[in-house]
Amino acid sequence: MKGFKTIMLCAALSGAFTQVAQAADQFVALPSYRVGAYAAGGSGFYGGAIDYFNLVNANGGVNGVKILWEECETEYNPSRGVECYERLKTKNGGATLIEPLSTGIAYGILDRVAVDKIPMTTLGYGRSDAANGKVFPYIFPLITSYYNQAAGMIKYLGDKEGGYAKLKGKKIAYLYHDSPFGKEAMPVLDALAAQHGFELLKIAVAPPGNEQQSQWLQIRQAKPDHVILWGWGVMNSVAIKTAQRNGFPREKMLGVWWAGSEEDTIPSGDAAKGYTAMTFNTPGNYPLIDDIRKKVYAAGKGNLADQARIGSVYHMRGMTMGILWVEAIRTAQDKYGKGKVMTGEQIRWGLENLNIDAARQKALGAFGMFPTVKTSCDDHEGSGAVKVQQWDGTKWKAITPNWIVGDKALTRKLIDDSSMAYATEKKITPACL
């Protein structure tokens, strides 16, 4: 696992930053980040997506159409993200998909993508109420939003205690990244605390989260039954190591999926053993990963400088994004013309009509890697299912054999209430496109 402790800039070995466009290329925009406090997540995620694009291109593209991409360094900074979006959106005939991997950047370009007709995915993050496609036709919080992750967390903790009823009187500390990302889950956690009678103790950590002694002193004094770590980047390993110093059992910590990667646990050393985190990818090896090793890395076109990261959490998550994008392009081609370059509007339709079932996952060599996904105008998320994984000291292992789904009736009500309030504020008439 050499290289996890030192963040690699992962400059694309295949020239991923700039490519030569061909006449029939499908151009997509990657406002990525490979430097700064969040470089581990960005380099692994975008590296996985680019590896998948290279695999698709090596196999002939999408019905002959090759994927073309360009990266723009945002450093996870919202203003830089907006600049990158504006820079990339008109290149190579116009960007037709975008994924910023940042709640702050996603909020910053939310209204712009609808005007420009460029669909934006927010894979496992971002604005949860964008699941309502009648209000947010160009936003796709695919697989699982923060609302459904939070609901899944409480379902898991309830099951661990013996059922929702057993949560009454319990104390759950919510240690969160003090940003839009950290605050997104609060409506769900507040509602579930009121419903099930547990106390929710909210403790903010200023980004990037290098210092948390005062927060963990507060946790030590409060003696919560569980700690939800809603962290990102360096904040996570600091939290895990500080928990150990304060005598808080890692088995009682449950991280958001952005706090559940090898880059969070390996730098934490022995302190991470027993730590659990949410995920929407099942750890393990898959035929798809073997194909990427054989057809991409063996050909010298791999994106990661450190090949020990192939198949790691962030890399697998990036591959998952690549699959969803390519399947949306393929779905759009089925309707608008096989072998043709799709417009942003056409790919938007493809994203809204995804159906990646078990059979399709098997055909892709990714069976069980992520939940099955089926989207619609009403549901731009397409799943809402999660798993829990645990770090055994050397690797992640799924400890929930089946996908978990929390209180979706509650999250759907919150999604509808929030999206309709947004529609009223912005004078949007909700409708399917």
Side-chain angles (χ1 to χ4, degrees), residues 183-217:
K183 296 169 185 174
E184 181 71 20
M186 287 183 184
V188 174
L189 295 173
D190 287 337
L192 289 169
Q195 184 176 331
H196 298 296
F198 62 85
E199 181 183 348
L200 184 67
L201 177 64
K202 298 173 185 173
I203 304 173
V205 175
N210 288 313
E211 175 51 52
Q212 298 177 37
Q213 191 54 45
S214 64
Q215 287 90 345
W216 280 96
L217 179 61

Side-chain angles (χ1 to χ4, degrees), residues 90-270:
T90 56
K91 288 204 167 184
N92 298 306
T96 55
L97 273 164
I98 191 164
E99 168 58 74
L101 198 65
S102 160
T103 296
I105 296 173
Y107 269 74
I109 62 176
L110 191 80
D111 294 329
R112 299 178 189 227
V113 296
V115 173
D116 296 331
K117 294 182 169 55
I118 302 172
M120 175 170 68
T121 61
T122 55
L123 191 63
Y125 74 94
R127 187 166 181 144
S128 298
D129 61 1
N132 183 357
K134 292 178 180 176
V135 176
F136 298 95
Y138 278 86
I139 314 297
F140 292 83
L142 288 171
I143 298 188
T144 308
S145 65
Y146 285 146
Y147 279 10
N148 278 321
Q149 179 178 200
M153 284 176 147
I154 300 304
K155 174 73 164 60
Y156 170 72
L157 293 177
D159 289 346
K160 199 175 176 183
E161 295 285 353
Y164 278 132
K166 299 290 185 179
L167 287 174
K168 188 173 184 180
K170 299 290 183 183
K171 188 180 293 183
I172 299 175
Y174 180 61
L175 186 69
Y176 68 96
H177 191 275
D178 195 6
S179 66
F181 151 64
K183 296 169 185 174
E184 181 71 20
M186 287 183 184
V188 174
L189 295 173
D190 287 337
L192 289 169
Q195 184 176 331
H196 298 296
F198 62 85
E199 181 183 348
L200 184 67
L201 177 64
K202 298 173 185 173
I203 304 173
V205 175
N210 288 313
E211 175 51 52
Q212 298 177 37
Q213 191 54 45
S214 64
Q215 287 90 345
W216 280 96
L217 179 61
Q218 191 177 346
I219 289 170
R220 188 167 148 186
Q221 292 170 340
K223 297 179 181 178
D225 298 280
H226 304 281
V227 168
I228 290 176
L229 171 61
W230 203 277
W232 181 219
V234 295
M235 173 180 165
N236 301 325
S237 59
V238 172
I240 292 167
K241 288 185 282 190
T242 311
Q244 182 192 46
R245 287 200 299 270
N246 284 273
F248 191 84
R250 263 67 70 217
E251 291 81 2
K252 290 189 174 183
M253 291 175 69
L254 180 61
V256 65
W257 47 56
W258 304 117
S261 72
E262 292 85 353
E263 288 85 353
D264 302 311
T265 50
I266 290 175
S268 304
D270 291 340

Side-chain angles (χ1 to χ4, degrees), residues 57 66 72 79 82 88 125 131 148 165 172 185 191 215 226 261 265 277 341 394 404 418 425:
N57 287 350
K66 300 290 184 71
C72 177
S79 61
V82 173
L88 293 174
Y125 74 94
N148 278 321
I172 299 175
Q215 287 90 345
H226 304 281
S261 72
T265 50
V341 174
T394 58
I404 300 168
S418 179
E425 177 193 345

